[in-house]
Amino acid sequence: MRKRLVSAAIALVGALLLVSLFLYLVPGDPVDVMLGEQATQVDRAALRRAVGLDLPWYAQLWTFTRDLATGELRTSLPPFQRKVLPALGAALPYTLLLTVAAMAVSLLLALPLGVMAAARRGTPVDAVAMGVSVAGVALPRFWLGPVLIILFALKLDWLPVSGAESWRHLVLPAFTLGTALAAFLARMTRATMLEALREDYVTVARAKGLSPRVVLWKHAFRNALLPLVTVLGLEFGALLGGAIVTEKVFAWPGMGTLLLTAIEKRDYNTVRATVLLFTFCYVLVNTLTDAAYAWVDPRVRRRS
């Protein structure tokens, strides 16, 4: 547990340092966003002093850390310097909801495809399942999202285009975000199932006269879950990253939209805080994934 906490702390500090350094090196001036390029040098210098942009980057980072710890962190630029933490608190549930829904979509698509492909290896079912998975990996989210909008929102008028007023608004972004992961998980499920089906305990189960369904799902599938749990923990972070683009396409009010808006406005404090929250969520999910090993495989629990 101590090692996990140290690793989590290192990841958070590293993410904060990297994003602060990138913000310091990236071209563009936040003062120009606020005052315009025609502003006088006197006005520009006064605004820099007012918001602390005249300080070195490490001094700005210290101010950010202090304000974040005390809950007084505000957006970087005037005139309306709003507190950042309430904005993050409002956006986080939407991103988590979208990520969990996308994960559910990916599992509902991937697990049956992967298991059927492994159970019917070399048959047309296997070929079709793997063909669908390859297509899912090849389709980029920034293309798939608009295509789904045109088809299901504009042409068929089945689902809304954007927003987050009801569960119907969640369908298209969740499917867009979960498709690529579903394709990858289907191939992963097929590979782990094929390996499990070659194990001796499966041969023994078949020799006992158990039905193919019981052998497939109770014996082979559960033992094939451990690698999948590992992948799911890692891919959760990929879903969080993918949610940035998906939220922008569907105007979903999550952390991705908040982050992109902050980048456009050069709101450094919001950018730092959002990236830090993304990193924390990723580290937390990986820690929970480690804990899930013991539930999936009792051998891990006995060794710990």
Side-chain angles (χ1 to χ4, degrees), residues 282-294:
Y282 183 74
V283 170
L284 179 61
V285 169
N286 281 340
T287 302
L288 294 177
T289 302
D290 291 340
Y293 289 163

Side-chain angles (χ1 to χ4, degrees), residues 172-204:
L172 290 182
F175 189 83
T176 301
L177 187 59
T179 300
L181 178 58
F184 173 74
L185 286 179
R187 298 180 68 85
M188 183 75 179
T189 302
R190 179 182 182 274
T192 56
M193 283 294 297
L194 287 176
E195 183 177 350
L197 288 171
R198 289 192 292 264
E199 295 293 336
D200 292 338
Y201 57 81
V202 173
T203 304
V204 171

